[in-house]
Amino acid sequence: LPNGDRAYATYKGTGEFGGGSKGTYTWTGGTGKIAGIEGGGEYTAIELPSAAEGTFQGYSKLENHWKIP
């Protein structure tokens, strides 16, 4: 986050390098104002054409829910 707080998650999914992936994630903790974050959701990672050999570009779509104590 812009103020330096961080959120941590674990991911489980399927896919191949170069083909994107789908799966789930679970928030496992955070720092600062988001310490104790809980929740998770589903993600879809979409790969874009590489700008240069040996590089990777892409983005992820998230279906997210969370709770901050």
Side-chain angles (χ1 to χ4, degrees):
L1 299 174
N3 67 355
D5 293 349
R6 296 181 181 263
Y8 302 99
T10 57
Y11 295 83
K12 292 182 183 181
T14 60
E16 295 182 20
F17 188 74
S21 65
K22 291 184 176 190
T24 61
Y25 63 95
T26 303
W27 296 114
T28 59
T31 64
K33 292 181 179 181
I34 55 174
I37 189 171
E38 298 175 345
E42 297 180 359
Y43 73 90
T44 302
I46 294 93
E47 185 173 348
L48 300 172
S50 295
E53 186 175 339
T55 65
F56 173 85
Q57 286 81 41
Y59 64 94
S60 294
K61 294 181 183 179
L62 304 175
E63 296 287 332
N64 190 17
H65 64 276
W66 68 88
K67 177 182 176 184
I68 301 172

